[in-house]
Amino acid sequence: MGVGELIVIYLMLRGLCAKMAIATGVVVSAVTVWSASPVHLASSSDANFYLVLFAGPGAIIGGLLARKLALYLPVIKLKLFFSSWIILTGAAMLIKVW
């Protein structure tokens, strides 16, 4: 889980509107990525370039789809979807570590 996901969970638990919490999480995640990108761009590995080629379009498509999904789903279903996604990705990471 990244900083953005943790902020979304915290803001939802504090009672903030789900759409505002998700928007805040997206902005914080973007700022985190942009602030760390100079470190990764300065490295001499070509693997970073291939990672950007793979992850960049996925992030753009995911951002466009997430906006439509957030506007389409009611708040309760959006929270259930988001929490299920976080649990599934966390479980996948745990399985990968073991």
Side-chain angles (χ1 to χ4, degrees), residues 19-94:
K19 291 177 185 175
M20 182 61 77
I22 292 171
T24 304
V26 168
V27 169
V28 169
S29 293
V31 169
T32 304
V33 168
W34 281 106
S35 66
S37 63
V39 174
H40 296 290
L41 291 174
S43 72
S44 61
S45 174
D46 289 335
N48 293 330
F49 178 72
Y50 295 116
L51 180 65
V52 169
L53 284 178
F54 179 72
I60 292 170
I61 292 169
L64 293 173
L65 292 176
R67 179 177 178 254
K68 291 182 187 260
L69 183 67
L71 294 174
Y72 177 74
L73 290 177
V75 174
I76 297 296
K77 289 188 179 185
L78 185 64
K79 287 181 180 182
L80 286 172
F81 175 77
F82 189 69
S83 61
S84 301
W85 181 257
I86 290 175
I87 289 170
L88 286 173
T89 55
M93 287 182 195
L94 282 175

